[in-house]
Amino acid sequence: MVSVLRIIVSALLMSLLSIAPSNADITTLAPAPAQSGFIQTAELQQSEVKVENKRLRQKHLRQLADIAYRQGNYKKAFNIYMNLVSMGSERAVFEVAVMYYAGRGVEENPEMALKFALAAEGAGYKLARTLLGDIYRDKSIEFRSIEQSVNWYTKAAEGGERMAQYKLGALYYFGDEIDANPKKAMNYLTKSAAQKNVNALSLLGEIYQLGYEGVAINYQLALKYNYGAAIKGDRIAQNNLAMMYKDGLGVQKDHDKAAPWFLAASDQGHSQAQLVRGMMTKYGVGVPKSIADAYFWTALSLKSGSTAARQKLEDLGNLLSREKIRKTEKKVAAWNPVRFKPSNYDLPPPPPGVATAPLVKTAAAKAVTQVMAIAKPLSIALPTKPISLNYREVAQKPDDIAVVIGIANYGRLGKDIPDVVPAYADANGMKQWLMKSKGIREGNIIHLKDATSAQMTGVFGNQSSHKGKLFNWTKPGKSNIYVYYAGHGAPGENGSSAVLVPSDATADTLNLVGYSLETLYKNLAKIPAKSITVILEACFSGSSQGGSVIARTSGLMIRPKIPPAPGNITVISAGAADQVASWEEDSSHSLFTKYFLMGMSGEGDKKPYGNGDGTTSYDELKSWLADSMTYRARRYYGRTQTAQITVR
């Protein structure tokens, strides 16, 4: 078998050489000892004398290479693996591919990584398929091909490789590089989680905790998957599990059980858990009271991306001297996450239905119980259920098209833009209205949850071409188009157009990845639709109810440049250019969307706003919003918010 394998690998390497540059020779893939600096140490020379059997010698060399790799001696490991390549080891071919791709022990070289990965896969080393998916997916590589990446991930996933199953499931879930496919996403994620892949466990926990298109909230499954990932050290799952105990989601509310998971997540750098820990130290609950330590954990939380920590940090800073702040900030800069070890925490037993674990209780487990009574509750739960309304239903209109975008989770990857908490519920409510009151069938609604820059471009086109997905779906002269957006807006840079903020933006990259409102209007105007209506649940001043969207603004309001809508587009927006789009006090809905939907359900047609003819006109809607939404924004927050309706 070994001799056959050597023949296969040698043939593959020689075939690869045939497509290498003309000056390449065998040293390109398997350098000779004198040319490559192959290990000729006394250690290996002695090993060669003692280990005569070739199979045992290969095994011995693999052990030496693996030890060198684990110790960080990558150059030594690379040289030994190359020696093994010349001996016909398919695993060594794979390891060399990995090292070329990562630039460990050898200069980073994606082309060589691809060659060795293909050779390893051809020799039957199945893990190479996932690596090939990674290489083709890499955005920094000239020969990047997402189609090839998906093909290789699919081969690996269908072969049972759990990391490929997770990566493929995540691609279909997030939909930022390929079209989202909830069914395929859940299929691959579930298969990966069944093999205990921590990433899949964590993502499934979040999906069942918050809900997903076609997937209902299921707290029992959320507990199961969150716990499975949390016990393996996933900080997101640890914080999510803590929040479920704190809020009583699927389990009895128990702050004692939430506490150790908050502590574990904070030690690993989770921003929300660090903020909870900062409050604990501020009030001396379960830990020694220390304003400096409270400042430390709150500063870490802000550094990790929590916008909620900014004001709390300012308040704590007023209680410390400049010297104390300087010293604490030096500690923050030097801090590194602590690797999770279950024995370091007083972990509660797993939730009901999950495998048992020992329970150890100390006073530390009671820390959060008291601090939650003092501090304002935190919650990662992003509501998805819209207000229940009865709409006047109409016959289905098979040619009409809608795009519904709801971006709530800007902090999914620890970024520095605050979440738009009610955006999911807003988008789901708008989708219901479009289906019932406008007769748009669900298959004609492009529903993007946490849309990325690439997804928005894919739907609306870019500055060079308006022919995105929406254009392709439209029937000229027959389709009425509706576009709804709930998420952040931001002012453009140096007087340029305001932008819609995708979920993959950061405060410093808004003008690089933000989707220009001017481009949106221009591209929509080029679509030969019967009518076009745009509804914007966003503000563009740079401020929002969740915090500042722009980096380093000190909370200043900026007057954005809002481009005029073309003559064939009706635009309805939550407020004027320099106003903040407000939410309900419980964050269940944005005020504008909630009262827009209520108005369109018939409230706006009633006296004194309407004439009672069974439909709500835009004039009636404007009057209704002024008396409902505008009033509540002023009463709740002391703000002026006036809906803008421009009918074409």
Side-chain angles (χ1 to χ4, degrees), residues 479-481 520-534 564-571 646-648:
S479 297
N480 294 295
I481 291 176
L520 175 68
Y521 288 161
K522 285 183 177 179
N523 286 359
L524 288 176
K526 295 175 183 177
I527 297 177
K530 186 176 180 181
S531 71
I532 301 175
T533 302
V534 176
N568 61 337
I569 300 177
T570 291
V571 178
T646 304
V647 181
R648 303 295 187 181

Side-chain angles (χ1 to χ4, degrees), residues 51-262:
V51 187
E52 296 180 357
N53 183 286
K54 290 183 179 181
R55 182 178 61 81
L56 293 178
R57 182 169 175 264
Q58 280 197 33
K59 180 179 179 181
H60 186 61
L61 287 174
R62 281 198 302 270
Q63 290 173 341
L64 291 175
D66 293 345
I67 291 171
Y69 192 94
R70 288 195 296 269
Q71 292 176 342
N73 192 342
Y74 299 126
K75 186 173 180 61
K76 177 179 178 180
F78 178 80
N79 285 334
I80 301 176
Y81 284 133
M82 287 299 291
N83 214 337
L84 285 163
V85 167
S86 66
M87 298 169 67
S89 168
E90 85 277 16
R91 184 197 154 195
V93 177
F94 170 74
E95 298 293 353
V96 169
V98 171
M99 297 183 82
Y100 267 122
Y101 183 53
R104 289 184 171 178
V106 66
E107 185 176 351
E108 183 179 321
N109 190 324
E111 289 79 9
M112 292 300 294
L114 178 63
K115 291 178 181 180
F116 274 93
L118 287 169
E121 197 279 332
Y125 202 78
K126 294 182 179 180
L127 286 178
R129 296 172 181 174
T130 303
L131 178 60
L132 285 165
D134 292 341
I135 293 171
Y136 278 115
R137 186 181 176 186
D138 194 327
K139 295 181 180 179
S140 67
I141 294 176
E142 290 184 4
F143 55 81
R144 178 180 188 263
S145 168
I146 192 63
E147 293 81 9
Q148 287 272 39
S149 176
V150 171
N151 287 340
W152 282 113
Y153 280 151
T154 302
K155 288 181 181 179
E158 295 302 329
E161 212 290 293
R162 62 180 184 174
M163 181 54 75
Q165 290 168 343
Y166 162 70
K167 291 181 176 181
L168 195 56
L171 277 171
Y172 283 121
Y173 172 70
F174 293 117
D176 51 356
E177 296 177 70
I178 60 176
D179 289 340
N181 189 318
K183 185 176 180 179
K184 288 185 177 181
M186 295 302 293
N187 176 44
Y188 286 118
L189 290 173
T190 302
K191 287 181 178 178
S192 182
Q195 297 191 72
K196 308 301 181 185
N197 178 274
V198 66
N199 300 297
L201 289 166
S202 180
L203 184 52
L204 282 174
E206 184 173 290
I207 287 172
Y208 283 115
Q209 187 170 344
L210 302 178
Y212 175 42
E213 185 176 346
V215 181
I217 290 174
N218 187 322
Y219 291 136
Q220 292 307 310
L221 287 177
L223 287 166
K224 171 187 173 182
Y225 287 118
N226 277 333
Y227 179 82
I231 201 67
K232 288 177 175 288
D234 185 88
R235 64 180 184 174
I236 296 175
Q238 289 169 347
N239 188 72
N240 287 353
L241 186 59
M243 293 303 301
M244 295 190 77
Y245 278 122
K246 185 189 81 67
D247 294 334
L249 304 178
V251 291
Q252 185 174 355
K253 185 181 294 187
D254 192 330
H255 291 154
D256 286 350
K257 292 181 179 179
W261 290 117
F262 275 130

Side-chain angles (χ1 to χ4, degrees), residues 337-395:
V338 178
R339 187 172 181 178
F340 174 71
K341 291 184 179 180
S343 59
N344 290 345
Y345 304 93
D346 302 335
L347 299 178
V354 181
T356 57
L359 171 63
V360 182
K361 277 204 172 187
T362 69
K366 299 183 179 181
V368 174
T369 304
Q370 299 172 54
V371 78
M372 289 302 172
I374 300 171
K376 182 178 179 179
L378 298 171
S379 177
I380 61 166
L382 300 171
T384 59
K385 186 176 181 180
I387 184 173
S388 179
L389 296 169
N390 293 318
Y391 298 108
R392 181 182 178 184
E393 298 192 25
V394 300

